[in-house]
Amino acid sequence: MAVCIAVIAKENYPLYIRSVPVQNELKFHYTVHTSLDVVEEKISAVGKAMADQRELYLGLLYPTEDYKVYPHMIRILYYTCLHVFYQIENILLYRHTRYGYVTNSKVKFVIVVDSSNTSLRDNEIRSVSQLLNLYGSLKGFQGI
Amino acid sequence: MEAHEEKPIIYTMENKPIVTCAGDQSLFTSLYTSLAQQLPREPMEWRRSYGRAPKMIHLEANFVQFKEELLPKDGNRALLTFPFLHIYWTDCCDTEMYKASVKDDMLRWQSTLRLHGSVDWLIVVVESEAKKKNKTNILPRTSIVDKIRNDFCNKQSDRCVVLSDPLKESSRSQDSWSSFLTKLRTLLLMSFTKNLGRFEDDMRTLREKRTEPGWSFCDYFMVQEELAFVFEMLQQFEDALVQYDELDALFTQYVLNFGAGDGANWLGSFCAPVKRWNGLLLRRPIDMEKRELIQRGEASLLDLRSYLFSRQCTLLIFLQRPWEVTQRALELLHNCVQELCLLEVSVVQGALDCWVFLSCLEVLHRIEGCCDRAQLEANCSHTVGLWTYATEKLKSLGYLCGLVAEKGPTSEDLNRTVDLLAGLGEERPETVNSLQSPYKKLNEALSSVEAFEKHYLELSHAAMEMYRAIGRMRSARLIGKSLAEFYMKKGDPERAEGFLDDSLRSYVAEGWSLQVTHTRKQMAECQKLLQQTEDYLQTSALLAGDANLTVEERKHFCQEILTFASQPPAPSDQTVALSMAAFAQLRQMQFSPPGAVVHVGAALQLELRVRCLMPVAVKVEQLAATLHFSLEQGGARGRAGSAQRRTGQGPQGQGDGVVLFPQGSPLAGAGMGASLLPALELYEMQDRSPSDSSLNSTGVVCKNMHLLLRRHDSSASLDTPTAGALPAAIAVDDGAQMLRARDITLQPGDNSILFTAPTGEPGSYTLRQLCGSVGRVQFVQSHIYPVVQYEVYSQEPQLTIEPLSDNLLAGIPQKVKFTIATGHYSVKKGDALQLSNTDSMPILHSSCCSATILSSTGERVGESALSIQSSEKVTSISLPPTPPYHTLEFQLEVLCHIPPTPFKPDIERLTNGEVRHRPKSHADRGMINIDQKVSIDCPWSIYSTLISLTFYVPFKAKHSILSAGKRKYIQVCLQNVSDTIFHLADPVLTECQPTIPVELLSLNAKTQQTVCSQQSVFCLWEMRWVERLPLCLQCAFSASFAPVSASDAHTAFKPYRYEFQLDRVSTLYSLKAEILPPSGDQHCRTGTLCGLEVSITRQAEPSETEGEEEESTEIEGLRTTKLMYEVVDNSSNWAVCGKSSGVVSMPVAASATHRVQMEVMPLFAGHLPFPNIKVFKYLPHSAVPAIQPDTDSCLENDTMSLLDKGLDDQGDTASIRSRGSVHSVGSGEQQRVLPMPRLEPFSPGQVFYLSQGRQVLVLPVTDDHVMEVNVT
């Protein structure tokens, strides 16, 4: 189950960040913020190839003992992300580690998943992003 | 050859596939070296089962002496000891010997093999020339081989190979070796494929049984590891790694299933409490201890994981993938922690930390062992995770064992430490001699506070340096922050401060508010300990306004400030200046009046809205805004100048006097604002000359330069002071003018504060700094942006007179508005305006005249009656008392008389009814204007004010004379050029100076009519006279007019008068033209010549005066004048053939007629209008009559006739002149001046053209089917 999901602006400030359980909020903020190091590293490693891709899943950013951070890049406007989040949160929460996406608008999308739940595998996280994309396209929010 | 010795199988890299050798041992021994060298020399392709990709493989073998014990017994799956091939060596070449011993030996060997089901065998017959030669009764070589093949190789002839002269250097020998080796390799691979395949099948079968109750993972582990060993032995590390990864995955799955409630029995052994946590051991290729534990089913989870990882690590390093080791290590460590948790294995607190710490360092040590320094540095990103993990674990151990506490460990902590150290067991023999082994490090770190600190700092700094080196600044700062926490715990805030500050800046810069709050709280604690009062207060202020904190926490920090503020200041202490941004946010400022431009002394209020961020109401003793005063936009320029300036107020400065302050997001606080620089705000600046407002210079001004052009790090301390130190530049500046509000209580949230702005001096006031004082604390906002400013002006009193309508019309009463802007002058009782009177513009005043007083904002203040007194020379208007900076308005009626012939310096000559001279006409309408100057004495000035008013004459009059034969008519056209509609009444035409009585008979029907704008009225009079017309006629036209809108039509009627003079009005000549069809034809036809007969008739004898003007000559008592006629056809209907012009002499007598015949040709058919005929006075050069008038006259007549004839050819007047001049030169030699005849037109009315408008019918030449019709 995702314990924290964050959308981070191009300038690296959080556009949206929400975590479950709430009492560990600060810890997740630290985790997500620190994960930006790796996100930036991965983005620069991927370089220009990224611009051509519709979506960039950066894979497992790095695990910690408790959580896994996954960054994602999705071509969705950030407000769309927010909107989508409210919708997909339920889907994510019935499973329980950190994953990330980066959109090529440089909006980053980081998911932290509880490591103790091993049922959610990397490729499933990827499909979460696909789910998001699908949702985005259905609602006509695709773009940038 | 040691292979035949009995020794335990060692699981090392030295293992090679076993090949047994039977038969002649000494023969084999002689060949062994060559064989062992040559076998791996060439690779063979190994085709694999199950669709696995074929591989090129270099084969090696361990050749051992054949023994029956080597053959695998049933159920023994040990692959490493499995003999893959059995070779029987013989060099027998003697049939007898073969039959006697070798064959039997072979049979025994075969039967033994068969007994164990081994089918991988080979018989090698070594042949040597030397041996052959020694024997005499040798059978051919082939026969032995054939016999062997016959006896043993039943249909498998390839199982017997011949090796010829193996020890000789001949090509035959080499060929024989080559084919033997190929055979050997092929058979070996066949055996591998077959036996490994069978093994894998068995293994798979075993795996399939994993759901059965008795199945044991450890047993299975041993089986699959055997396969891995064989692959490793064959140097197929990838395949070997796959075996371990499969085992890893299988085990992981079991643990997960266990977590999901599906526990396997065998897992029970792994659930035993963890008793040893001595970490990974990666220094041996195979950790036999752990392997035996697994084999015996006694391994714990950590044992199994450790062993599995050590094997994977070994293989990965063989594969030269050390960085995968680090990555897998981190995953493994995380995973083990999770798995222990999942299996609910009881672990001593801290034991796992020990295990992870040791393991991290062991992995790092192993990697360091196989990479050089440069490689390590380039791959920090792979190792830094382990470094960090180790640091974290050591830290948590430190906290657990009381090594971080200020007082040092308690006895309980010490007991725990002892327990933890016990679990490490003895140091492994591999590292006993190493000084820096992980084991020693941990032991040391847990032994004393100092050692712990040393190791912890060492690790932390190493990890931090690595993060910095690879650019992961956030991670580095996180470690820094963790260090800060450590230092704080140790009671060393000095060292913590730097790390906290660094982290805080980064969080602020990136706008992560929770981190900002958390770190700031730590910072506050640190600053408090360091007794950095100012910084602490600043941080407290920021925390007190931090929405991420609970109200209680915020109140606490707010109270800290208030407590400090209320303390009596120590003599040495100055007040403490803190940034306003943390305390309150400016929302908006609003001026009242909104224009923010007021005159000196006027009331101007400024409402300030601030959002107080404090959680409780704060009493502010004084809130003051310092003002910057500048004279540059002085009040002298007055209202216009200031208004112009204020238009460039920028996006926030709105016209209604409201200045809004941009707000950062409340969540991110000022953090976001700091990360996003403000946009450049540029404005156009124009510097105009004060006298004629021409442009002197222009430029671009950046209004927020102070925000953009400052150092970045200091910007953080200005907007969101982290350290709290305020730069000296924002020190409160006193002395300047201020907006001040005292004793205000700022409630949490929005507050409104009213300031009264000082307006004592004219100039521009700009708000610079805002400062709130709470006891010893001052909250300072160093810049107010956007710029808030107001202007105070001083104005000279000013009088303007302007018309109420667009144009003032002359002739009728008009209203004008007097406006007095009093400026700084106060109108006192008895003050009066003195207007000097002029006759042309009297001031019409009535008693009901009143004045309105307006305030500077345009509000109506009062109204009072005006008393106006007129004397002969001046009109005095007494003004009501009016305060300064007010406006006094009243209206007066004035009348401007229309001069009878306004502005006609010359006699207006009318040709074709057009005005030749139009002085000062109103540009677009042709209105004539009259400038009236009024001189006014104002009470505030010793000088007279001269004000010019422009009146426009509403009418334009034209006159013309019309003739009908001898009868004469005068037409006057009056055009209304104004926009007003008038009534026009009683048009009258009179003769002014009647020398000769002329009766003017009005032909006008109406006496009164309405004239709209741009409408013209024509009036006509017939002239009647008795004897003769006067040469010159002075006429005056007069009429009355009144605007239609006038209420009282009778009194409103005003006179209009137009005077003009008519000269030479009587008709002198009448012209008549006749067009005659060619003889014999009734009508003119196109293209045929017609006659044009022009008759000029003298109508009247000229009067005396008129005669003088005309140039007449007397020849033999007959006075004649010369006329020139000219036929002009502008419409191209006629072609004039022959001469078109000529000069005739007309006798100066009534009814004298002159006829001229000309020929014209019609060019079109139809009713054609007659061609125009023009007549001019022909005036010979004036010199001629003076010189010999008698003699020359005849000659001149001749000349004229000659000229007449000449005109037949030339037909243009220019040639007449030239000819005349030639003649003159010839005739009068003494004459120096060239004689030039002149042409002069007649005045209108002097020539009457009878045939005007006549037409003649012209028929087409032929009756064509196409009729040409010309309509003109």
Side-chain angles (χ1 to χ4, degrees), chain A residues 8 12-14 17 25-26 29-30 32-34 36-38 40-41 63-65 115-116 118 121, chain B residues 253 256 334 337-338 389 393 470-475 478 481 507 510-512 514-515 518-519 672 676:
Chain A
I8 296 149
N12 286 337
Y13 60 89
I17 182 159
E25 202 179 6
L26 179 66
H29 281 238
Y30 275 118
V32 171
H33 179 250
T34 315
L36 291 177
D37 272 343
V38 188
E40 283 180 348
E41 216 167 80
T64 65
E65 199 173 287
S115 296
S116 66
T118 38
R121 303 224 169 243
Chain B
Q253 194 56 51
L256 292 181
H334 291 150
V337 174
Q338 291 296 330
Y389 202 15
K393 289 300 162 190
I470 57 172
R472 296 192 187 176
M473 301 312 288
R474 295 178 190 87
S475 309
L478 197 65
K481 222 180 132 273
Y507 296 139
E510 290 192 328
W512 288 73
L514 272 189
Q515 280 100 311
H518 181 242
T519 312
M672 273 182 64
L676 308 168

Side-chain angles (χ1 to χ4, degrees), chain A residues 124-136:
Chain A
E124 285 181 273
I125 289 294
R126 183 187 289 272
S127 72
V128 166
S129 86
Q130 280 155 2
L131 191 74
L132 268 174
N133 268 350
L134 180 68
Y135 185 84

